[in-house]
Structures are given as C-alpha cells and as structure tokens.
Amino acid sequence: MNYVFLLLAFLTGLAITVQAGVNANLRQAITNPLLAAAISFGTGFMSLLLVLLTTSSSAPSIDTFRQISWWKWTGGFIGAIYVSTVIASVPKIGSGNLVSLSVAGQLLAAVVLDHYGLLGFTLHPANGWRLLGLVLIMAGVLLVVRN
C-alpha cells in the first residue's frame, strides 16, 4: 500500500472542510451563493491552467476530445452542484453535519461503484468488513447530526 496516497487522501479531506468554510465566508461577503461558487471555480480553473501551462508537454488531439462520451464531461457539473450545495448549506447546518453527511454519501456511492465495477472502478466486492464500515460511518453520522 502506498502511504503517500493515503496521506494525500486524508489531507484532501482536511482541505475540503477548510474549503467549505472559505467558500461560506466568500458567500457571506458577496451575499450570492452562486457567484461565490463561480468565483471558487474560477480561481480553481486559473490555478489548474497555470499548472497545466507550466508543466504539461502535450495536449490530446481534437479527435480525442470528439470521441469522449458525453457523460465523461459531467464531472465539472457535479463539482459545481457540490460546491454550490456546500456554500448554501454550511451556514445552515454547520461544517460537522455537512462533512459527515457528505462523507457518508461518498462512502455509500464508493462501495456500490466498487462492488459493481461501475464507471471503470476496479472490482472490490462489498464484503462484510466494508459493509460493517459503512454501517459504522452511518452510525457516526447519526451521532454527529443529532448534536
């Protein structure tokens, strides 16, 4: 197991929670959740573009882009829904509730996607340990949300 990627996954979880707070504060400052989400995506886009332009050596051909299935382009749309929901929800339900419910939803989807190998994921059957982990996460969410 590559521990660097495990650490990166953990740190990403920390960053997502911080991002929720940063974006919620941006929303409060400009009083518009969709504009706050657009600004968040805009700065993210500019950051990625800068990294891409300074590190990448080649780009795929136009034909490659044309052959990509329509649903493979929906990741940004799903991300926009996520970020907009976070921005609107954090002030109402708090970061603990938002993150715990979000993680529970992510884990449920991940177990299903892994079990069936959907979207190109490697098959990882939903065995007893995984299902127990899912149940424990859901129980933890109930404890956090009940506060």
Side-chain angles (χ1 to χ4, degrees), residues 130-146:
R130 283 181 156 226
L131 295 176
L132 177 62
L134 187 58
V135 167
L136 291 173
I137 290 288
M138 297 298 179
V141 168
L142 288 174
L143 292 173
V144 170
V145 172
R146 287 189 64 127

Side-chain angles (χ1 to χ4, degrees), residues 76-90:
F77 176 72
I78 295 166
I81 291 171
Y82 173 77
V83 169
S84 299
T85 300
V86 167
I87 289 170
S89 300
V90 165

Side-chain angles (χ1 to χ4, degrees), residues 46-103:
M46 296 305 290
S47 300
L48 288 172
L49 188 59
L50 180 64
V51 171
L52 181 66
L53 292 174
T54 59
T55 62
S56 186
S57 59
S58 64
S61 69
I62 296 294
D63 260 358
T64 299
F65 283 110
R66 287 184 183 142
Q67 294 175 12
I68 298 172
S69 302
W70 69 269
W71 61 270
K72 293 179 181 177
W73 295 97
T74 63
F77 176 72
I78 295 166
I81 291 171
Y82 173 77
V83 169
S84 299
T85 300
V86 167
I87 289 170
S89 300
V90 165
K92 305 288 186 197
I93 66 173
S95 64
N97 289 343
L98 175 96
V99 170
S100 65
L101 289 162
S102 179
V103 168

Side-chain angles (χ1 to χ4, degrees), residues 111-133:
V111 168
V112 170
L113 292 172
D114 280 354
H115 181 75
Y116 294 105
L118 301 172
L119 299 177
F121 285 100
T122 303
L123 278 171
H124 293 280
N127 61 26
W129 291 114
R130 283 181 156 226
L131 295 176
L132 177 62

Side-chain angles (χ1 to χ4, degrees), residues 35-50:
L35 180 57
I39 291 169
S40 178
F41 270 87
T43 58
F45 173 75
M46 296 305 290
S47 300
L48 288 172
L49 188 59
L50 180 64

Side-chain angles (χ1 to χ4, degrees), residues 4-45:
V4 170
F5 289 105
L6 293 175
L7 177 63
L8 286 174
F10 178 76
L11 293 175
T12 299
L14 294 175
I16 286 171
T17 303
V18 171
Q19 180 196 33
V22 168
N23 284 339
N25 277 279
L26 178 61
R27 174 198 186 257
Q28 185 178 16
I30 62 176
T31 67
N32 186 323
L34 291 178
L35 180 57
I39 291 169
S40 178
F41 270 87
T43 58
F45 173 75

